[in-house]
Amino acid sequence: MPESGATPQGGPDTLRIISADLPVNTTLHLWLKAVHPDRPGSVSLHSANGKFGEVQAVNAEENSFRIYHVFGGGRIELRYDSADTSVSVAYWFTAADVLETGITVLHTNPVNAPPDLPASYHFRPPFGWMNDPNGFGRFGGRPHLFYQHYSHGRMWNNMHWGHAVSSDYLRWRHLPVFLFPSEELSARPDKRGGAFSGSAIPLPNGPGIRVFFTEKVSDRQPEQEIQMSAVSADLFSAGEATVILPHRPQGEGLTLDFRDPYVFKGPDGRWKMLLGSQSDEGGVILLYETEDVQAAGGWTYLGKLLIETRHRTTAIECPCLLPLDGEATDPATRWALIYGLMNGRDERTGRRNLTMVDVGWFDGRSFSREFSRELDFITDNYAFQAFMDGATPVGIGWLGNWADTGPTIDFPSAMTLPRTLRLEDGQLLTPPIGAAESLRSHIIDRTRLAAGETVTFPNGAVELLLELAEAGLPFELAFHHPGVTLGLVQDETGLWLRHENGSEESPRYIVEGARVRRLRIFLDYGSVEVFADDGRIAGTKRIAGFEPVRSARLSAPADSVGHATVWALRL
């Protein structure tokens, strides 16, 4: 709800009023900070009966978080003087039904407001910055998505955990911010860190969850990164976090990188934890376990599960491990070990920050690799996190790449389409979840694209289905985008994405030697996702800005296109 303006006593046009009609027993979350370092900021709360509360902020460097409970409900106003006070975010919810109704955002600043993108179907936060998915899982019967989040701008900063809940992995309700940076960080604006990435598991004897995350405080001695855990009984608010791993394993030659705990049940029935780091040998994944059925403590270091020397990574990030083709307890079951190569660079193609997936066998203490491949050949599917939804592995990634962003870059981003993982004829397939077909609104074209004509799109949300008469036949699918030269090509070199942005040299996004026959291509405002041969090959690219792809044209030899269909999409 936008704020309304009025004239204050101290001067014109600096009094701001945020008004709303609230139910009984409303919880209000509010972030504010002082504009000037020498005087505090404040927000006063008013109802029909007059002023009933006030919150203050004395820090001009960092937003202060405040909670206020409105027991009687009714019409309220939040008033503040913008000459003294900045309000970053304000939203409300009722705890009794927040999982069903979500939060209602009352106010965001222009610097952290979400983009207005009609028909867009990728997950985006209700305000601010987002990167890695965290704690992805089904809890209380519904999918939950936590994510790395900064509420007060579209640039990386001190990390929180955002939170949303869904019924189908596509249509999400935003929930209250779940985790916050420590008081140590809040009191020291010169430091950076916060609640970094992690995972979640269901409580064994109740409806709640236990979350695991890395707490980072820059320049903290002796450890910048330690592992924490917290419990949520109600699935939307976290209890007090406790330290479960206060230091890295000794004698392993590790850098200060020690993060992203992923907790899962091993084949021996014990809880396992993966952590990413870097050593003298290369990037490493560390393995821990505990006999505690609550996974609350007693974690023992077992050793290095993986040592990675490809692409000169500076640290492995966001590892996860899950069974693919059978029960976790079956020794014959193959597992997928997924991990990101932070700052890694493929020298042949110029692609950076690749995500790898190794398929093999896991016995609870060691991993034996059968084969390895890139999870995403275009590389903008990073920090991918998956879990077992019943017998089906389901995962989601950050639709971004650290090669394109950083703490000083305005980068409003999204999550990828959720994907399933399965083995078929010795190959790993990662197609979009079946529910993605529910995004289809109406058919735009059945014949013109296949005939080589230009097909215009009504907006930026489109799915294209293309089938060739034979695998490997050449084609070029050119997209008209106002900001970049964009297209998908198959030729004698393989399948590759054409992405040219002015004078900037683009990496070579290619699967060398690929000979695909069927393609599903998802376009959205600011992204393209490619799935070839039911996900045998997948590629994800973020497109700078939010200008939509406006049309497409297919060039291919005569009689080489079996059919081509274009769908308009919407949530």
Side-chain angles (χ1 to χ4, degrees):
M1 181 179 296
E3 51 182 51
S4 58
T7 302
Q9 294 180 353
D13 300 325
T14 59
L15 179 68
R16 299 292 182 262
I17 299 176
I18 306 169
S19 59
D21 293 308
L22 301 184
V24 174
N25 294 328
T26 292
T27 302
L28 179 68
H29 282 188
L30 176 69
W31 283 261
L32 68 155
K33 68 178 180 179
V35 171
H36 301 284
D38 56 347
R39 62 179 187 265
S42 66
V43 174
S44 59
L45 290 80
H46 301 258
S47 69
N49 297 322
K51 180 177 176 180
F52 64 92
E54 184 173 32
V55 292
Q56 285 195 336
V58 296
N59 191 339
E61 298 295 327
E62 184 65 32
N63 288 275
S64 300
F65 173 62
R66 299 289 186 270
I67 301 174
Y68 209 92
H69 297 287
V70 183
F71 296 104
R75 185 75 172 178
I76 71 159
E77 291 183 346
L78 282 65
R79 301 177 185 175
Y80 66 99
D81 188 336
S82 62
D84 295 325
T85 307
S86 172
V87 175
S88 172
V89 178
Y91 62 76
W92 66 266
F93 62 93
T94 52
D97 63 358
V98 66
L99 293 174
E100 307 296 333
T101 60
I103 62 172
T104 298
V105 178
L106 299 176
H107 167 77
T108 60
N109 270 333
V111 296
N112 66 341
D116 182 16
L117 303 173
S120 180
Y121 52 91
H122 283 85
F123 177 84
R124 290 183 173 87
F127 38 77
W129 160 278
M130 178 182 70
N131 56 295
D132 304 355
N134 301 151
F136 191 43
R138 183 180 291 274
F139 308 113
R142 286 178 289 203
H144 285 249
L145 172 65
F146 302 87
Y147 53 90
Q148 292 285 271
H149 181 51
Y150 181 68
S151 305
H152 317 299
R154 290 187 294 266
M155 299 180 189
W156 185 96
N157 207 298
N158 286 338
M159 284 290 95
H160 305 57
W161 273 29
H163 187 195
V165 66
S166 177
S167 58
D168 62 0
Y169 296 106
L170 297 170
R171 297 158 182 90
W172 296 91
R173 287 186 298 281
H174 299 296
L175 297 179
V177 173
F178 187 76
L179 290 176
F180 298 81
S182 67
E183 292 183 5
E184 180 181 357
L185 277 175
S186 300
R188 291 286 306 276
D190 58 310
K191 291 185 177 291
R192 285 292 176 262
F196 274 34
S197 293
S199 56
I201 61 172
L203 293 178
N205 298 313
I209 58 173
R210 176 176 292 279
V211 300
F212 304 84
F213 65 98
T214 299
E215 181 196 70
K216 177 165 183 172
V217 177
S218 62
D219 301 326
R220 178 172 56 189
Q221 297 295 330
E223 300 288 352
Q224 292 187 24
E225 299 178 351
I226 61 176
Q227 311 316 313
M228 310 281 289
S229 180
V231 167
S232 173
D234 57 19
L235 297 179
F236 72 86
S237 63
E240 182 178 357
T242 58
V243 179
I244 56 171
L245 290 176
H247 54 76
R248 295 161 289 162
Q250 303 301 306
E252 296 284 34
L254 302 178
T255 63
L256 292 175
D257 302 285
F258 179 54
R259 58 179 172 272
D260 308 338
Y262 178 81
V263 176
F264 63 102
K265 190 64 70 71
D268 53 8
R270 296 177 180 174
W271 289 111
K272 311 290 179 177
M273 179 192 295
L274 305 183
L275 287 155
S277 187
Q278 180 79 1
S279 72
D280 299 336
E281 303 166 280
V284 293
I285 297 176
L286 310 173
L287 177 64
Y288 288 76
E289 75 171 12
T290 182
E291 297 182 8
D292 181 359
V293 296
Q294 303 283 341
W299 289 97
T300 302
Y301 176 59
L302 298 182
K304 296 174 181 175
L305 187 70
L306 178 80
I307 300 173
E308 175 57 65
T309 59
R310 292 169 291 184
H311 307 309
R312 299 181 181 179
T313 181
T314 61
I316 283 182
E317 291 193 310
C318 303
C320 78
L321 180 61
L322 68 167
L324 283 176
D325 61 349
E327 297 292 331
T329 54
D330 186 346
T333 294
R334 291 176 177 85
W335 294 63
L337 178 61
I338 305 168
Y339 51 96
L341 303 181
M342 183 181 181
N343 296 324
R345 178 182 173 88
D346 179 8
E347 297 296 339
R348 294 180 65 250
T349 62
R351 296 172 303 150
R352 295 174 58 188
N353 299 295
L354 278 69
T355 297
M356 307 301 298
V357 53
D358 296 353
V359 174
W361 296 271
F362 176 61
D363 64 6
R365 300 183 72 89
S366 62
F367 180 81
S368 177
R369 178 191 295 167
E370 181 181 18
F371 66 87
S372 180
R373 53 161 276 196
E374 297 166 6
L375 184 71
D376 192 288
F377 80 97
I378 311 178
T379 72
D380 284 6
N381 172 14
Y382 193 70
F384 190 84
Q385 187 171 99
F387 77 102
M388 295 302 297
D389 190 359
T392 303
V394 178
I396 197 169
W398 176 43
L399 210 164
N401 192 302
W402 289 113
D404 302 321
T405 188
T408 62
I409 298 174
D410 188 314
F411 189 84
S413 62
M415 293 298 179
T416 66
L417 277 174
R419 297 145 194 222
T420 59
L421 299 90
R422 72 175 189 271
L423 280 176
E424 188 172 292
D425 298 328
Q427 297 189 72
L428 177 65
L429 308 183
T430 61
I433 57 170
E437 293 188 8
S438 72
L439 296 171
R440 295 172 180 172
S441 169
H442 61 276
I443 290 177
I444 298 172
D445 172 65
R446 287 185 185 272
T447 59
R448 290 176 291 131
L449 189 67
E453 300 177 26
T454 297
V455 177
T456 301
F457 305 147
N459 56 39
V462 175
E463 179 187 359
L464 297 93
L465 303 174
L466 174 63
E467 183 168 342
L468 303 174
E470 297 178 12
L473 291 176
F475 71 86
E476 177 165 1
L477 183 61
F479 300 114
H480 175 212
H481 186 278
V484 299
T485 301
L486 189 68
L488 188 67
V489 181
Q490 181 162 261
D491 58 19
E492 67 280 0
T493 66
L495 180 71
W496 54 279
L497 181 82
R498 187 190 304 280
H499 180 269
E500 300 168 5
N501 189 2
S503 60
E504 295 182 14
E505 183 177 355
S506 177
R508 183 129 168 88
Y509 301 114
I510 186 169
V511 185
E512 294 180 324
R515 295 177 54 81
V516 306
R517 183 178 181 186
R518 295 178 300 276
L519 292 122
R520 293 180 71 183
I521 302 155
F522 290 84
L523 299 173
D524 200 356
Y525 296 85
S527 69
V528 55
E529 290 176 275
V530 177
F531 299 91
D533 292 341
D534 200 22
R536 178 173 61 88
I537 295 170
T540 307
K541 184 73 185 82
R542 180 185 181 271
I543 306 168
F546 291 110
E547 288 292 331
V549 172
R550 298 174 178 176
S551 64
R553 186 175 183 274
L554 178 64
S555 300
D559 301 323
S560 62
V561 179
H563 65 78
T565 305
V566 183
W567 286 88
L569 304 182
R570 60 170 174 78
L571 278 177

